[in-house]
Amino acid sequence: MKFKRTLRTYWGLNYILFETNKEDVENLCNLHHDFEHLFRLVLSKVIVLYRHRMFSLQFRTVKQRYQSLIKQHPKIELIVPLGDIATFLGITQETLSRIRATKA
């Protein structure tokens, strides 16, 4: 199995990414069932997070989404640019600024 190792920096934080192809992952899972179990657990977690995000975008107000984000990640505004936070929330940076101005 071949991995491509890449060092990336996002929002001032360093990450090491390991990339491979689908065939190698399937072979690894066939040879070692513990990896198969791990990948299933990770995939299940990602699906649940995606469903929560879709629900939030459809049924929660912008202010509720912002408050939830700050509650889950209190220091996010110190690390992530406001433009990226606005994009994640599905709003413009101007709308985010108005919400932040009324949060006090």
Side-chain angles (χ1 to χ4, degrees):
M1 178 173 228
K2 296 178 185 176
F3 286 103
K4 177 183 174 188
R5 183 176 184 250
T6 309
L7 177 63
R8 300 263 171 96
T9 302
Y10 295 103
W11 306 308
L13 302 173
N14 295 322
Y15 297 90
I16 298 174
L17 302 177
F18 293 96
E19 300 174 52
T20 190
N21 62 49
K22 181 182 175 194
E23 184 179 305
D24 283 346
V25 171
E26 287 177 353
N27 288 336
L28 179 65
C29 288
N30 288 332
L31 289 173
H32 305 283
H33 293 288
D34 287 343
F35 282 104
E36 178 184 15
H37 181 70
L38 174 65
F39 284 116
R40 247 186 303 118
L41 290 174
V42 170
L43 183 59
S44 295
K45 179 71 172 177
V46 168
I47 290 170
V48 168
L49 290 172
Y50 180 75
R51 287 183 63 197
H52 285 218
R53 176 145 168 76
M54 291 300 103
F55 176 85
S56 176
L57 288 171
Q58 286 182 322
F59 301 111
R60 297 174 102 197
T61 67
V62 173
K63 191 169 187 173
Q64 288 172 330
R65 293 195 309 259
Y66 173 75
Q67 290 170 339
S68 177
L69 178 66
I70 296 303
K71 185 177 179 182
Q72 290 175 346
H73 307 284
K75 298 184 187 231
I76 195 167
E77 294 174 313
L78 301 175
I79 301 168
V80 179
L82 294 178
D84 291 342
I85 293 172
T87 299
F88 178 79
L89 294 172
I91 59 176
T92 64
Q93 194 166 347
E94 291 79 15
T95 300
L96 177 60
S97 293
R98 283 192 291 275
I99 292 169
R100 291 179 70 231
T102 63
K103 78 175 184 180

